[in-house]
Amino acid sequence: MTALKLENVNKSFGQVHVLKDINLTVEDGEFVVFVGPSGCGKSTLLRVIAGLEDASSGTISIGGDVVNSVPPAKRGIAMVFQSYALYPHLNVRDNMGLGLKQEGQPKAMIQEQVGKASRMLSLDDYLSRRPAELSGGQRQRVAIGRAIVRDPKLFLFDEPLSNLDAALRMNTRVEIAALHRSLSASMIYVTHDQIEAMTLADRIVVLRDGRIEQVGSPMELYNNPANRFVASFLGSPSMNFLDRSVPDVPGDQTLGIRPEHLSLAPDGRIRGEVTHVERLGGDTNLLVRSEQGEMLTVRLFGQDNTPVGATVGLDFDDAEAFFFDAAQNRLWPEAA
């Protein structure tokens, strides 16, 4: 079954056209991540799916039913926000079960659903605590549990980890991935963090300026970007770009090469000066200014003692390179 289908969805706020002809299908049980820079429309798109904003045009279907005119509470969705949105005077048990209570569900059913969600999220020891007595990660788990108990057709996550520190983000990311596997639920997740997108998604939807740039699995997009924007957005450190040309191909072109595909080579085709060294323990990043003035990042696996100020040669395997035309579309190798 199709969990979600968007057909020619547009959204405008007055004269500002925010979403532009969005077409997307999410299959049942799929984990899809919307990713893109601030202002690209990803959160607006999530709100349109949820019914918190009306689409200006187009069709939104959830579980095979058109829901354009259906209020949020009747769409069969559950949403987890960046802010935990927990009631401070209610304990964990009551926060998780409040939505079902408001729907008039039987007390036994509410207890069963809350118990199941709390076991899944390791919250059994915290059911009697209020939000003020919880850590940020525990509060976010409660917010996720509140969504789980409703057994929705579609889970919507709007940057749920933004308020957590780095260690908690990683731990909660692992928990969300495990939750998806255990529930086999359909999930849509919005983030500006490409690491979250790469590690969580079955498929990534890359957005820019209200349009979908490319859709595919994380490694499909990483290895086969359709254009320079997708190539630069996915990958940490970001792809390097140099003014170079494919022989016998006219027009302005840009060479793209990922940091891990550059290597130190005394007689390499690129020469430059090391301006900064990031020693990360297992990896070393060299920031190099080329003789043409281009700033490049070289990712070396393992520890490296190259000092700041050193003149180095760099090279790469031609098979690892990408070329983009003046319109930033992929020129070579041709998109698979």
Side-chain angles (χ1 to χ4, degrees), residues 194-214:
Q194 57 95 14
I195 294 177
E196 285 182 23
M198 293 289 289
T199 55
L200 284 173
D202 294 322
R203 283 193 302 153
I204 295 174
V205 179
V206 182
L207 292 117
R208 178 173 60 162
D209 297 333
R211 298 186 186 277
I212 292 177
E213 291 287 318
Q214 192 173 359

Side-chain angles (χ1 to χ4, degrees), residues 12-30:
S12 296
F13 294 98
Q15 298 299 313
V16 181
H17 197 177
V18 178
L19 298 177
K20 304 163 186 175
D21 295 320
I22 301 293
N23 289 278
L24 178 69
T25 299
V26 176
E27 300 299 338
D28 192 37
E30 197 172 20

Side-chain angles (χ1 to χ4, degrees), residues 119-140:
R119 287 190 297 274
M120 194 176 296
L121 296 167
S122 300
L123 289 171
D124 284 349
D125 294 337
Y126 307 99
L127 289 174
S128 298
R129 295 191 188 183
R130 293 184 178 181
E133 301 172 286
L134 304 174
S135 68
Q138 289 164 347
R139 293 178 197 176
Q140 192 57 274

